[in-house]
Amino acid sequence: MALRTADRIAEQAKAILVAEGSEAVSMRRVAGAAGVTAMAIYRHYPNREALLGAVAERGRADLAERWRRRPREDNPRAELRAVLNALLDFALDQPRLYALLHSEPPWHEDGVARDFRSDDSPALNAVVAAIDEGMHRGVFAPDDVWEAALSIVALLHGLISLHHAGRLGVSDPEFRVLCGTAMTRLLHGISA
C-alpha cells in the first residue's frame, strides 16, 4: 500500500512539474493533488528535494525506456542522428521535465549527484554507444568516445536551453533545422 501511495505522490508531483515547472512543486500542493495529508507525504518523501529526486528518477527511467524501444539504424552516422533527434523530441515535447533532468540541480532520490559517465544519463549513453560503434567501424575518427559524446550533447543541450529560454526567436520547426545544421557542422569535424 505504501508503495502505491509513494508512486501516486510522485506522479502528481510530475504532473505539476510538467504543467508548471519545478518551482510549482510544493509538498502541500502535491499532497493535496495526491489525496494525502500534508504531513502524510513526509512518510514517503522526507523533503521536496527527495520528491523531485523521485520524479527525476522516474523521468530518467522513462527516457531510458524510450531509447530502448526506438528502432535502431545500421549506419552509425544515421544512428547518431536518430539518437540526437530522439533527445530533441523529448526536449521539445517535455520541456519542463527535460529541464529537471538536464538543467536544474542533479535531483536524485538519494541526494547524491552522479557523473555523466554513470548510467544516469540515458541520452548521453545512447550517444556514446552510437559514436563508439562509428569509431569501431571507421565512420568516425578515433577519439575519446566520452569527450566526443559530451561535446555533441553539450552543443545540443546549449541550443535547447537557448530555445527554451526564448533567446533564439525561432519556431520549433525552425529550431529543428538549426539543430540539424549545427550537428552537421560538428559531425563533419569528427568524420573519418
Side-chain angles (χ1 to χ4, degrees):
M1 183 68 153
L3 182 61
R4 284 187 283 181
T5 300
D7 287 341
R8 191 171 72 241
I9 290 167
E11 284 304 311
Q12 291 301 318
K14 179 182 175 186
I16 292 168
L17 177 130
V18 166
E20 302 174 45
S22 64
E23 63 282 347
V25 177
S26 72
M27 299 298 270
R28 183 174 302 281
R29 183 163 178 205
V30 172
V36 299
T37 67
M39 291 309 295
I41 198 171
Y42 289 98
R43 278 186 246 148
H44 305 282
Y45 300 100
N47 53 43
R48 180 177 179 272
E49 290 74 23
L51 178 56
L52 285 171
V55 172
E57 295 288 342
R58 283 169 171 74
R60 277 187 284 279
D62 290 347
L63 188 55
E65 183 60 27
R66 180 185 279 201
W67 298 120
R68 280 191 291 275
R69 285 192 323 255
R70 68 177 184 71
R72 299 286 191 264
E73 300 287 340
D74 186 47
N75 177 304
R77 190 181 306 276
E79 174 65 5
L80 179 57
R81 284 207 179 266
V83 166
L84 296 173
N85 282 329
L87 178 59
L88 186 56
D89 290 344
F90 172 67
L92 293 175
D93 294 344
Q94 300 276 340
R96 292 181 176 114
L97 185 56
Y98 178 90
L100 179 74
L101 297 179
H102 298 99
S103 300
E104 297 184 17
W107 300 112
H108 298 279
E109 282 187 275
D110 60 10
V112 176
R114 290 174 185 81
D115 158 312
F116 271 119
R117 291 183 193 234
S118 72
D119 286 339
D120 195 39
S121 177
L124 184 61
N125 289 326
V127 172
V128 165
I131 292 173
D132 190 50
E133 178 67 19
M135 287 179 184
H136 280 89
R137 290 174 58 180
V139 174
F140 300 133
D143 200 343
D144 181 293
V145 68
W146 282 98
E147 287 181 13
L150 189 57
S151 297
I152 290 168
V153 171
L155 172 61
L156 188 57
H157 174 67
L159 290 171
I160 290 167
S161 295
L162 289 169
H163 184 60
H164 282 169
R167 302 297 300 255
L168 298 177
V170 297
S171 67
D172 284 357
E174 291 169 322
F175 178 66
R176 287 180 181 281
V177 172
L178 173 68
C179 289
T181 302
M183 285 304 128
T184 296
R185 286 184 185 115
L186 183 62
L187 293 176
H188 180 72
I190 66 169
S191 294

